[in-house]
Amino acid sequence: MKYILYYLIFINLYGILSMGIDKNNAIKGKWRIPENKLFFIASIFGSLGILSGMYIFRHKTKHKKFTLGIPLIFILQGVIMIKYIISIK
């Protein structure tokens, strides 16, 4: 269980960092992180980090794909985690 927590902390910090880097690169006109990679990070339980990064950096907040998709992934992952926690008790 401890390693799961470490993973969740790592992947969500990576998600926030990815959003910050992508926003910074967008401002500077540099290479961008592909949207499918940001969604991949969210899909492997980094959705809280991606969602936090969206609002911390005000990045991708006008894209319906992100404003609807990332919260949906977050909710689904919450349900999965609750079911997992219930099943191990």
Side-chain angles (χ1 to χ4, degrees), residues 69-82:
I70 300 299
L72 179 61
I73 292 169
F74 178 71
I75 291 167
L76 291 173
Q77 289 172 348
V79 170
I80 291 167
M81 301 239 341
I82 289 168

Side-chain angles (χ1 to χ4, degrees), residues 20-82:
I21 289 169
D22 193 50
K23 173 68 176 204
N24 189 48
N25 288 351
I27 291 168
K28 293 181 177 182
K30 292 184 175 181
W31 177 85
R32 303 285 303 280
I33 297 173
E35 288 184 352
N36 62 349
K37 183 173 183 179
L38 297 173
F39 270 97
F40 177 72
I41 295 166
S43 72
I44 58 172
F45 286 86
S47 59
L48 180 59
I50 294 289
L51 187 61
S52 298
M54 284 173 59
Y55 292 99
I56 290 169
F57 301 109
R58 292 188 216 139
H59 189 49
K60 304 283 188 187
T61 55
K62 293 182 181 177
H63 299 193
K64 287 236 187 259
K65 184 183 350 182
F66 279 85
T67 58
L68 296 175
I70 300 299
L72 179 61
I73 292 169
F74 178 71
I75 291 167
L76 291 173
Q77 289 172 348
V79 170
I80 291 167
M81 301 239 341
I82 289 168

Side-chain angles (χ1 to χ4, degrees), residues 6-26:
Y6 291 153
Y7 170 77
L8 291 172
I9 291 168
F10 170 78
I11 196 65
N12 283 288
L13 287 174
Y14 183 67
I16 292 171
L17 183 64
S18 295
M19 291 300 280
I21 289 169
D22 193 50
K23 173 68 176 204
N24 189 48
N25 288 351

